[in-house]
Amino acid sequence: MPDATTVLATLDKELDWQRELYKDFHRHPELSLQEFATAKTIEDKLTGWGYAVQRIGGTGVVGVLENGAGACVLARADIDALPVTEATGLDYASTATGTDTDGSTVGVMHACGHDMHITALLGTAKFMADQRGTWSGTYIALFQPAEETAAGARAMLDDGLLAKVPRPDVALAQHVMATDAGTIGTTAGPVLSAGDSVKITVHGRGAHGSMPHNSVDPVVLAASIVLRLQTIVSRETMPGAFAVVTVGASNAGSKSNIIADRAVLLLNVRTYDTELRGRVIASIERIVRGECAASGSPKEPEFEYYDQYPLTTNDAGVNARVTEAFTAHFAPGTVYHTAPATASEDFSRLPDAFAVPYTYWTVGSVPSDVYRKAVANGTVAQDIPANHSPFFAPAIDPTLGVATRAQAVAALAYLAKGE
Amino acid sequence: MPDATTVLATLDKELDWQRELYKDFHRHPELSLQEFATAKTIEDKLTGWGYAVQRIGGTGVVGVLENGAGACVLARADIDALPVTEATGLDYASTATGTDTDGSTVGVMHACGHDMHITALLGTAKFMADQRGTWSGTYIALFQPAEETAAGARAMLDDGLLAKVPRPDVALAQHVMATDAGTIGTTAGPVLSAGDSVKITVHGRGAHGSMPHNSVDPVVLAASIVLRLQTIVSRETMPGAFAVVTVGASNAGSKSNIIADRAVLLLNVRTYDTELRGRVIASIERIVRGECAASGSPKEPEFEYYDQYPLTTNDAGVNARVTEAFTAHFAPGTVYHTAPATASEDFSRLPDAFAVPYTYWTVGSVPSDVYRKAVANGTVAQDIPANHSPFFAPAIDPTLGVATRAQAVAALAYLAKGE
Amino acid sequence: MPDATTVLATLDKELDWQRELYKDFHRHPELSLQEFATAKTIEDKLTGWGYAVQRIGGTGVVGVLENGAGACVLARADIDALPVTEATGLDYASTATGTDTDGSTVGVMHACGHDMHITALLGTAKFMADQRGTWSGTYIALFQPAEETAAGARAMLDDGLLAKVPRPDVALAQHVMATDAGTIGTTAGPVLSAGDSVKITVHGRGAHGSMPHNSVDPVVLAASIVLRLQTIVSRETMPGAFAVVTVGASNAGSKSNIIADRAVLLLNVRTYDTELRGRVIASIERIVRGECAASGSPKEPEFEYYDQYPLTTNDAGVNARVTEAFTAHFAPGTVYHTAPATASEDFSRLPDAFAVPYTYWTVGSVPSDVYRKAVANGTVAQDIPANHSPFFAPAIDPTLGVATRAQAVAALAYLAKGE
Amino acid sequence: MPDATTVLATLDKELDWQRELYKDFHRHPELSLQEFATAKTIEDKLTGWGYAVQRIGGTGVVGVLENGAGACVLARADIDALPVTEATGLDYASTATGTDTDGSTVGVMHACGHDMHITALLGTAKFMADQRGTWSGTYIALFQPAEETAAGARAMLDDGLLAKVPRPDVALAQHVMATDAGTIGTTAGPVLSAGDSVKITVHGRGAHGSMPHNSVDPVVLAASIVLRLQTIVSRETMPGAFAVVTVGASNAGSKSNIIADRAVLLLNVRTYDTELRGRVIASIERIVRGECAASGSPKEPEFEYYDQYPLTTNDAGVNARVTEAFTAHFAPGTVYHTAPATASEDFSRLPDAFAVPYTYWTVGSVPSDVYRKAVANGTVAQDIPANHSPFFAPAIDPTLGVATRAQAVAALAYLAKGE
């Protein structure tokens, strides 16, 4: 048997087509649930390599490669782009536009690196097809739409994913980040926060601005709520526990001399703990209701939850096995322990639905010299365009190669003959 | 000499054309500074009656009638309509539309009774021209544009009003209100509040919603300001003194998971006292600056004052003279002492510019039986459409007749032979 | 019949003993409900002058002088002193001490001029007894304890005042103020506010300061309540209406690192309108309960009302009659229209219990030159010691003479033969 | 050479006198810096066992035992009691009283287990003296006063500790906690928070409660500060970072109808990071100053820092060596990884002054069956009296034996022959 390193070396020759495909995806980004051309390309590739391919959840694509007895590994890439107008100046920059959920025309950009995720997983998928002799089991390459709107994983599940593919033993996903290119960050336990958005409408009573005594002032009510909500983190959460309650938007009224009849607050909640998440949400509702009562609000407040992301919490065993494989394969200094991030993802809905363990790791994408200089200067926040920035521009090399190998190494940790 | 009552009785025969003209104005309302047709009609009428007519301030019209030695009286009517879509169902209801200051197309309606003010003053103007034998002095009929935007009086002054007409000895104005039709309310001293609007922009630092530590949160800053502003009235103003500080609009952010970089507050301030007004405004700025400092705001707040209305405070002597004349002329029960209103007007800019005394009275416009029933039921607020309502519909009779006579009686109090 | 002026001139000869008696009262002040020596002196004097004297309400003294047919006038003076250590340096200054309600030993001082009220009313009482020939009817001189604690009028009523004295037709009271000595201020309608104090206890849950998540923090709860209470005046009260909601005390916790289990707020409410008073109190309770709910407070808040003073609102007819009499009797410039004061009194409980009209006026007590200089300098607040100050020192002349005459003139306005 | 286990077994025979001594200390607690009898007892014991004994910092006692070449280990116990009236009902409960810093007489109790710390360290000290043959180096047994007031470590340093004893290579301390008796918790890095208390005085302007416009209301100012301070943790601190800002006391005013002229806030700050600590304190000052400016406060606020505790952060190497020794010596299940506690200590001042590494561990003291039942019921907070509770009652066995052995095992990890 050739050893893993020898086998994986074959991946390098794939980089030529991968680089071109990456640029092509980057040039042609598609918004969430509108990834039609992207899905078609993926479908064609997988089919060409011998995968049993299905469209699941509209623009979701799943390829299954059965290769004898053994474990079943599901690897997932997200495929959608963002309503951001690209400003990188790259020669393969996007000039695409799309129609946003509110009907407006917006610039579209792969500003979160999903194009890298697709291309790397396609590279790995070809590798797994080419190297069937070196492993045994089942490999599932899953390409998920609409991660950015938290809708894609659910759409695939709603479309019957569980019944349509073999139940995996483990699930794998990765994300490019604005850190040192070529490095891989892993961790056990919480790695991405649960995210919940809630739209709160509170009711006052409108009146002319000179007659406040005829009103229940929603501006004052909203202000009281905003200040009171601060105490969920400052007083009700155990010091050092992770919880964020952000009132991203607070809007009421449009004229100086008219007291409006309502205020609308948009909140975002982040937690690493399901029980704490529940308590934070209960506290939000308790505070809003209490403040409405204090104001004499004439009507119950309304709570509308949306963009809800699950907690992403890596299984300790899976993370250990994958981290060990990474460490064995990559050069020293490549793999490091990463702290949990405050961002959120919907990947974990998939393994959670199968009730299987998973791990999720990060891949750096900023040229090392640039990144290290910014770290040395303490100017990372200013100098390094992060995910979702119109300037976000992963270095194709070495990012694409590392990301492709990472998916392959992680899969082989479960599927390689001898494992 | 015929006595005033006999002379004024001649006004009744004018009501026929006045009623038709009123309906015509009502059907064809024009927004502030766009009162082109309205001004043309006024101009033509005044010219026809022998007034020396000038256009001042764009759509302002002033007619001067010199009639021998004696006092000079300036009577003012405002002529603009509002961006309100009429819902009265009257057969002479407006179906007009116009272009609002933000470029949008809006319904237009005489929802504040300025059509009544114009028609009444035209009636008086004809009366003064017809009855030259009964009085001596100078009568100025001034039709002012753009009261609703606080821009019209200033526009006329900026266009040289002071130099273009004789300096009056006294100025007069009236306003129809949603009270018992046929009654007239007068008062000495403050009758309408000073009104000031201010747009306040406070600066935070934007960040992703999950990273509040990288932000200066403008939602929290705005909330703190709103609550603190309450103390200007509750703690800094002498109990029982009139002051209103309304935050009519407080807006920041548009997404739950993005911390915005600024918040915008629109405030409206009402006072009956120039010194108190100054202190309230100073307190607003002090509080906003203090709260910005408390937040660590990265940039000075900005204050932009707009829609500033002066205090309307009736001269005690003028009010006494006019009230006495009203009481002598009208039936018992017509004239009552009215409390100051919280609304604002820009009329007083005109006499203030001339440095002459003035009085301003109100004329009821709701059919007596309707009004008195609502008073008895304690349902005035619910049942009687007030000024600016899409249902505001003055009863033509007796309102138009009373308003016309009121302007005539008040003028004659200064100009009648023997006065 | 001698005219009133001639008769009243006889009062001047009483001033000698009045001055000495005033100094004696001033030297020997007694706290509320402890006015034992004071009451004894009053009792002896009245008895000596032929009054039918009763002790009512412990240290209350009432003398009734029946003198034929006619109206019945009740004149009231309050007699208690304050727990203030005198700092006037007067040669008749108090050095007395007493036991306050909390058991502590305190300095005692007639710092609110009640000694002047007693001495003036005694002068009038002697005058009424001496001058029986000039008037007809019934004169009641009522000396009430414990005005400072709002307990005295109630104590006299609880002790059967209504049944023990003839029902008056009118009631009269006066108060010395730190204004121009020799002047008298009168007004119709509200003259003193209703005053209500309330002790609010809100409950949290105590915890170590480093473990806020185990607590319900009463400091945060109290702060939220304090800010929210501001909106009762700023948003819920009609602009220009008189309402004060002062949180005079807010206390919670005693150690930096212990989160306490409760907070105590002491509020004072002032209004000129019974309906508004009710709404303000309802709003306080609504806000406190709403904020407790927002905090997740484990126990209902407690409201304990105390020191409740009724509204003092002068009858228009009585005020007019008394003001007319004052104006006729006193030199020009003596009588002026006074604005309502924000202070409170329990006098009105007495006429309200009898359901009879009343008036209440003020008497200036600061030497004119001193007062006018302070007015000119704009330094009244700094230079003139007001009621309750340890430096409060009414000028005996002309204050005592004017106050005595004022009570006599007001009584004769109802009782003089020919009235 | 006998192995450590054999040698340590000799400790069991010391428990008889240790138990009696523990009860004696418990019966006779002494307040901070008043530990006269306690110090005398310690001094006598150490002297008797051959230590070179010094009194340092008043009631601090240090015994040095030089025993040949090798490392120098400093072990520290704190010795003061608390102003708490014991309510345990133990037959050796304290009935002592003492004089608190404010002059009041208070009950005194070893409510934080320092009696256990003393007795255990004395047991170890005797063991080290008895077993000189098994180890080599220098052993310093340091008994520190006034841990509860953060004054003792500083007092010893101020009294020249650095010059009076050999510089240790490592320092050791332990604390009994209300956890499972017989267990030992260790951790690397932050184990106790830095604690800072600050007394903040903010200035208003006093006035009568009915005249708020003459005041700058300190109750409103304090409330605004309290709510704003919440944002330091909720908005300015990185989510998941440990920071506590507790306003333990907020006090202003004493009467409902008097607006006071100042408010006093007592804050407690806890952090695990020196840089963050600095930012939190800067934010507190910024917010207080900003709010004072917003109020128009007439005088700068005052900040008085007190009870400042340093961060306790265990050296990774020392913790590893000691934990390994514990694990080797104690039964399986004894040693566990403990999370950092939010409490604070002044122990670290001593090794920090010497610039030497240290570790600090916890020893459980609640009978296992009781503790485990409460855990199972989820009623630990309610059922288990924690440190500082008047019911805090460590189980003498096995707590005392484990604590004594822990100090011995940790010392031998550095001093045992062969180490």
Side-chain angles (χ1 to χ4, degrees), chain C residues 197 208-211 219-220 223-224 227 230 244 246-256 258 266-268 270 306 342, chain D residues 197 208-210 219-220 223-224 227 230 244 246-258 266-268 270 306 342:
Chain C
S197 286
H208 191 266
S210 69
M211 289 181 271
V219 167
V220 167
S224 299
L227 291 192
Q230 305 308 312
V244 182
T246 286
V247 184
S250 173
N251 291 290
S254 60
K255 297 266 182 187
S256 70
I258 304 292
L266 303 181
L267 273 65
N268 188 245
R270 307 268 170 166
Y306 65 101
T342 58
Chain D
S197 286
H208 191 267
S210 67
V219 168
V220 167
S224 301
L227 291 192
Q230 305 309 311
V244 182
T246 286
V247 184
S250 173
N251 291 290
S254 60
K255 298 265 180 188
S256 68
N257 64 346
I258 304 293
L266 303 182
L267 272 66
N268 187 245
R270 306 266 170 167
Y306 65 102
T342 58

Side-chain angles (χ1 to χ4, degrees), chain C residues 382-408:
Chain C
Q382 299 92 304
D383 294 353
I384 309 293
N387 301 51
H388 290 214
S389 161
F391 297 96
F392 183 68
I396 297 180
D397 295 302
T399 312
L400 184 54
V402 169
T404 306
R405 280 173 176 249
Q407 280 285 17

